[in-house]
Amino acid sequence: MKPPKTGEMLHLRGNALNKGDPVALPLTQSSMYHLPGAPDGHPTYGRVENPTWVHLEHVLAHLEDAPCLTFPSGMGAISAALFATVKAGSHILIPSDGYYVTRLLADRFLSNLGVSVTERPTTAFAEGGFGGFDVVFLESPSNPGLDMMDLPAIATAVRTAGGLTIADNTTMTPLGQRPLDLGIDVVVASDTKAMGGHSDLLMGHVASRNAQIMERVEEWRRVSGAIPGPHEAWLLHRGLETLDVRFDRMCASAQVLAERLAEHEAVKQIRYPGLSDDPSYALAKAQTSRFGFLLSITLETEEKAETFINTCPMLRPATSFGGVHSSAERRARWGDDVDPAFIRLSVGCEPIEELWQAIEISLNAL
Ligand SMILES: *Cc1c(COP(=O)(O)O)cnc(C)c1O
């Protein structure tokens, strides 16, 4: 994988400035633009465009190496990608063990509009082939199971069968994995997670090198009104400026933690794609440039899992992930099909020895 040039990204704005311009990105909080006469080529209205998003999208496009459109949440981006590509009579395939709200969207809304929805587990996603599917939605590694799919093989098979692929890349970010380079048609992501990184905003984006699809996605945003707020766009842009250092620290710490947790007697099971005996290791090595900052552990009982999460002073007991603060939660509380003592742990930016000490003390006390 060709890694994005994050140094170049940091100077994208600076290298286009005129004398006297602010170096930091201005936050443009306006619904109206001064627009006497013919509007040609000028910003028209706040639902159509905003200079703060436009620059954010320029930066995201650099990371994705593809045109990019932003949305007010990850689900806003996923909805846009799906509504722009399906119609009544379409057949779509989605993972049965990926992010559960994507399944809800398909089951509760798309199926009512005459779209037929098929689910398959991540680890057997290619079984049965892809004939007859118009859109194949992938997630790799899956949230929360951290199972992976062979993205290049699936991308090729779906294309040969005449379908289109959309991959949710939230867990890896474009610094860890670039599905478009692996042959996927459309990338969607929740930027609420590691991209923003400070647990203070919700946003999402769609990226694709297919201009027709991006036109439809832009039209969907303009017409549905699912537009990002300028302040969120500004915050996300600021978050992206430190993504490289945060992601680097988080992935390095996750590897150390995973290796130590694997040896700890309170841990019954661990999943981390960077452990050489993990079922995802081979695919992760082939497809990703880092092993990520998410890991899962299963403790002995639900009670022990709750005690651990709620007493460890360096774990925020919270849903969502990817922030500078490490966080953890029992996914069974949302109905994910996992062991009641299964904990998804998002490794943050704390210095590793401080973090490990807090985790070890809490595990030893169970
Ligand atoms: C969080 C998440 C989403 C949804 O993102 P929001 O910003 O919460 O709407 C989609 N996919 C995955 C894999 C996620 O983790």
Side-chain angles (χ1 to χ4, degrees), residues 72-76 78 99 102 139 143 168 170-171 189-193 202-204 320-321 344:
S73 66
M75 285 315 304
I78 291 171
Y99 185 65
T102 306
E139 192 180 309
N143 170 19
D168 184 334
T170 301
T171 51
S190 168
D191 298 327
T192 309
K193 316 291 169 56
L202 281 99
M203 274 195 70
S320 194
F321 57 84
R344 181 184 66 199

Side-chain angles (χ1 to χ4, degrees), residues 94-296:
I94 61 173
S96 56
D97 49 356
Y99 185 65
Y100 73 110
V101 187
T102 306
R103 289 199 299 283
L104 284 183
L105 175 71
D107 293 344
R108 307 277 307 147
F109 291 91
L110 295 181
S111 57
N112 289 346
L113 300 173
V115 174
S116 87
V117 181
T118 303
E119 293 184 8
R120 282 184 196 161
T122 301
T123 52
F125 204 66
E127 280 173 25
F130 300 102
F133 290 110
D134 300 284
V135 173
V136 174
F137 190 96
L138 310 95
E139 192 180 309
S140 177
S142 61
N143 170 19
L146 302 179
D147 284 314
M148 292 194 67
M149 297 177 179
D150 187 334
L151 294 181
I154 295 174
T156 305
V158 172
R159 182 161 302 164
T160 306
L164 184 94
T165 45
I166 303 175
D168 184 334
N169 198 36
T170 301
T171 51
M172 287 312 296
T173 85
L175 295 193
Q177 174 171 261
R178 290 216 285 193
L180 299 177
D181 289 353
L182 302 172
I184 297 294
D185 296 302
V186 183
V187 161
V188 290
S190 168
D191 298 327
T192 309
K193 316 291 169 56
M195 299 284 271
H198 296 74
S199 316
D200 54 6
L201 68 91
L202 281 99
M203 274 195 70
H205 73 265
V206 177
S208 176
R209 293 171 188 154
N210 180 321
Q212 271 173 319
I213 291 175
M214 290 307 277
E215 257 173 51
R216 285 286 288 169
V217 171
E218 192 280 328
E219 187 182 1
W220 165 263
R221 179 172 73 176
R222 185 165 23 93
V223 171
S224 71
I227 56 159
H231 187 234
E232 280 71 18
W234 185 86
L235 279 172
L236 175 56
H237 174 264
R238 184 180 166 124
L240 290 181
E241 297 202 310
T242 54
L243 175 63
D244 195 0
V245 267
R246 286 184 289 105
F247 189 67
D248 187 47
R249 162 72 72 94
M250 287 154 70
C251 296
S253 294
Q255 183 75 39
V256 174
L257 273 189
E259 286 168 11
R260 294 183 188 176
L261 285 167
E263 300 295 319
H264 198 284
E265 57 178 21
V267 176
K268 261 178 38 189
Q269 221 206 339
I270 179 160
R271 287 296 308 269
Y272 181 64
L275 294 175
S276 57
D277 57 354
D278 189 90
S280 293
Y281 182 71
L283 281 173
K285 251 188 113 67
Q287 288 170 199
T288 68
S289 58
R290 302 299 297 261
F291 293 116
F293 54 85
L294 284 178
L295 56 89
S296 74

Side-chain angles (χ1 to χ4, degrees), residues 25-30 33 50-52 230-231 234:
L25 177 65
L27 166 54
T28 303
Q29 195 74 56
S30 186
Y33 297 95
N50 171 285
T52 310
H231 187 234
W234 185 86

